[in-house]
Amino acid sequence: MALLENLVLVFVAGLVTALATGVGALPFFFFDEISDRRNVVLWGLSSGIMVSASLFGLVEEGLAEGTPLQLGIGMAAGVLLVVVAHNVLVDAEIDPQEYEEADFKKLVLILGILTVHSFPEGIAIGVSFADLGLEGGMQFLGFTIPLLAVFMTVAISIHNVPEGTAISIPLKSMNVSNWKMVWWAVFSSLPQPIGAVLAFGFVRIAREFLPYGFGFAAGAMIYLVLTEFVPEALDLGSELPNGGKPELAAGIVVGVLVMVPLAFI
């Protein structure tokens, strides 16, 4: 029964991060569009949050649980997952503005890419709950929750908001209703609670693989930031002064400043 309760808790944490993606669609209830400048800042914010969560959360914990070699092997596997996923999806890129006039098939492709990208985040949540029930965590509803799990859940939830906005841009141009945009945004992150449960179950049963699990999640997320989020932000800001680099840098700095204090609580 305790195992089932733990799995439910981890699933709920993953579901919370998925629902946070829907928040990214909410601005379209009040505005017809979001400026490129704000979008660049949002992508920068997301990038700063994910790199901070990976370095100060997953990598640090992975080194505490295992060796640098184990962590490195896990990170390489995480990068490989993203690369393979891209190849399966014909190496398509996330570029919402390019597909503002997209047909249904192309829209499904966009959603498919974002869905594949959300799975590593679910794995990150799952491995962060590895010490669930052990001493040193915070008490919540009768559970002893690792501080790393709280940190990762908050980080990924905040990070998911700009992803929800990215999904909503082409949907808005196709006159999709506001509530349907919220649904599609949440839908793109539904693999997160599934990935969280699978990763948690795996590292609890085979705890010796925990360092690899931390590295896997960190590698996948850092690679996504470097190859998807930053290029996407620069592409969106190409028409802005200095190519949108100041807005991107500002977003990254804010993201880091928001998350770093949480890592040392």
Side-chain angles (χ1 to χ4, degrees), residues 23 80 84 130 163 168 195 200 213 242 262:
V23 175
L80 182 62
V84 171
E163 286 200 1
S168 300
F200 172 75
N242 298 311
L262 293 178

Side-chain angles (χ1 to χ4, degrees), residues 139-213:
Q139 297 296 318
F140 180 72
L141 297 178
F143 294 93
T144 303
I145 301 177
L147 295 179
L148 176 63
V150 177
F151 175 66
M152 291 305 303
T153 302
V154 171
I156 293 174
S157 294
I158 298 174
H159 148 81
N160 278 352
V161 175
E163 286 200 1
T165 303
I167 293 170
S168 300
I169 290 173
L171 294 173
K172 184 68 175 181
S173 70
M174 296 174 69
N175 296 317
V176 174
S177 69
N178 290 337
W179 284 112
K180 284 185 178 179
M181 286 194 298
V182 173
W183 154 246
W184 281 115
V186 172
F187 172 78
S188 74
S189 291
L190 286 182
Q192 288 177 12
I194 298 172
V197 169
L198 292 176
F200 172 75
F202 181 76
V203 297
R204 290 286 282 213
I205 295 172
R207 193 172 177 84
E208 64 270 20
F209 287 99
L210 185 55
Y212 300 100

Side-chain angles (χ1 to χ4, degrees), residues 29-260:
F29 281 74
F30 310 100
F31 307 101
D32 289 332
E33 62 181 19
I34 297 178
S35 68
D36 287 344
R37 175 170 277 104
R38 290 179 179 176
N39 263 317
V40 172
V41 172
L42 285 175
W43 280 113
L45 177 68
S46 178
S47 299
I49 288 170
M50 294 312 293
V51 170
S52 298
S54 297
L55 294 179
F56 300 111
L58 297 173
V59 171
E60 184 176 335
E61 194 68 22
L63 291 173
E65 292 284 344
T67 67
L69 177 60
Q70 291 173 318
L71 183 71
I73 292 173
M75 294 182 73
V79 171
L80 182 62
L81 169 71
V82 178
V83 172
V84 171
H86 276 220
N87 289 336
V88 170
L89 291 167
V90 201
D91 200 27
E93 297 180 353
I94 302 176
D95 191 352
Q97 289 196 334
E98 178 183 343
Y99 296 115
E100 286 186 355
E101 302 300 328
D103 58 21
F104 180 75
K105 288 183 179 179
K106 193 166 287 186
L107 181 58
V108 169
L109 177 62
I110 298 170
L111 293 171
I113 297 166
L114 291 168
T115 299
V116 169
H117 286 181
S118 73
F119 194 73
E121 296 158 13
I123 293 175
I125 296 168
V127 296
S128 72
F129 273 91
D131 289 337
L132 179 62
L134 303 181
E135 293 183 4
M138 62 175 290
Q139 297 296 318
F140 180 72
L141 297 178
F143 294 93
T144 303
I145 301 177
L147 295 179
L148 176 63
V150 177
F151 175 66
M152 291 305 303
T153 302
V154 171
I156 293 174
S157 294
I158 298 174
H159 148 81
N160 278 352
V161 175
E163 286 200 1
T165 303
I167 293 170
S168 300
I169 290 173
L171 294 173
K172 184 68 175 181
S173 70
M174 296 174 69
N175 296 317
V176 174
S177 69
N178 290 337
W179 284 112
K180 284 185 178 179
M181 286 194 298
V182 173
W183 154 246
W184 281 115
V186 172
F187 172 78
S188 74
S189 291
L190 286 182
Q192 288 177 12
I194 298 172
V197 169
L198 292 176
F200 172 75
F202 181 76
V203 297
R204 290 286 282 213
I205 295 172
R207 193 172 177 84
E208 64 270 20
F209 287 99
L210 185 55
Y212 300 100
F214 283 123
F216 184 92
M221 293 199 297
I222 292 174
Y223 185 78
L224 280 174
V225 168
L226 296 178
T227 63
E228 294 291 346
F229 297 168
V230 171
E232 170 67 18
L234 293 176
D235 185 54
L236 284 171
S238 61
E239 301 299 324
L240 299 175
N242 298 311
K245 292 182 179 65
E247 288 82 0
L248 174 61
I252 291 174
V253 169
V254 172
V256 172
L257 291 178
V258 167
M259 297 313 301
V260 168

